[in-house]
Amino acid sequence: MLFKLRRLKLYLGLILGLTLSFCFISSIAEAHRPAFPDGLNKSADTAFELDDIDISQAIYQVLDEKEQVWLSFDPQKSNSNTANIQLGIPVLVETQSFRPVVAVVSKNLNKIDLPFDIPEGFGAILYEPNDMPIREFHEPFTDTNSWILIEEEFEVIENGIHYVVVFSTTNQSGKFWFATGTKEVFGLSDISNLNKNIYKVKNFHKPSISVDAEISLQEKKIADKTLFNKIGEFRTIIIYF
């Protein structure tokens, strides 16, 4: 009888642990995997390389006045023929009139007029904020709010390096994030950096604060407590296993 009772407790613990694990991983999967380039990616030669364009990822950066932010991707690293083009800005007073645009640059596209040079033999297609009402987006995992300016799809018809260039036609400066991909992929390193990335994303959505600025001690304690609870739930699984 005692053996059956222990066995029942083990099964119940396993079920509870798996349930908590599913909730934990699902909450992570609500967000794009974040990246914070060093800000030196201001030309094709120094472009920040995106992962497989299938993978859900978000790049957080500041666009400086009269400059561009360059990203790159290689379609051969992906099984998808479609690159999602999503551009957003934090909901802030300082970004209310900030309207950056996106140019996808590749060899198979036609030449268009751009306010900067692109590699020889390349063309481009331009994506601009349209006249439709801008969509407000709340990201639940980091509890941040954004205005989404652009939501488009780029059909990849040729292999070879492609570039994504974010710039301002009016030489504005401001914070933005660029996202692409739909496949949620989170490794152990992403989980271990989770707390740090939450700090960075939250800071990014604050007015006139750099991505790397420190948050207040009170906010850090709250974030640490939340993460500790989640990690505790995750450890439950290991214990029961």
Side-chain angles (χ1 to χ4, degrees), residues 87-101:
L87 187 75
I89 56 177
V91 175
L92 297 170
V93 173
E94 66 195 59
T95 61
Q96 284 183 346
S97 61
F98 182 43
R99 294 296 179 268
V101 299

Side-chain angles (χ1 to χ4, degrees), residues 87-146:
L87 187 75
I89 56 177
V91 175
L92 297 170
V93 173
E94 66 195 59
T95 61
Q96 284 183 346
S97 61
F98 182 43
R99 294 296 179 268
V101 299
V102 175
V104 176
V105 178
S106 75
K107 286 186 176 180
N108 68 291
L109 296 174
N110 295 325
K111 267 281 191 181
I112 62 173
D113 291 328
L114 292 170
F116 53 88
D117 294 330
I118 61 176
E120 185 68 28
F122 280 65
I125 183 172
L126 201 61
Y127 297 101
E128 302 180 79
N130 55 38
D131 296 329
M132 299 294 290
I134 294 173
R135 182 166 72 89
E136 188 166 336
F137 170 70
H138 176 73
E139 204 292 293
F141 192 66
T142 57
D143 191 27
T144 54
N145 296 301
S146 298

Side-chain angles (χ1 to χ4, degrees), residues 163-202:
Y163 298 99
V164 175
V165 187
V166 180
F167 66 101
S168 170
T169 57
T170 56
N171 292 323
Q172 290 179 294
S173 62
K175 299 177 182 180
F176 74 90
W177 53 259
F178 174 83
T180 188
T182 58
K183 185 191 299 181
E184 307 293 351
V185 178
F186 291 90
L188 292 177
S189 61
D190 298 303
I191 295 175
S192 65
N193 291 324
L194 181 62
N195 204 23
K196 179 176 67 175
N197 287 335
I198 289 175
Y199 295 162
K200 287 186 175 183
V201 173
K202 282 181 173 292

Side-chain angles (χ1 to χ4, degrees), residues 219-231:
E219 288 175 320
K220 187 176 186 304
K221 287 181 178 179
I222 294 173
D224 284 343
K225 183 178 180 181
T226 301
L227 183 64
F228 178 79
N229 291 337
K230 289 182 178 292
I231 292 175

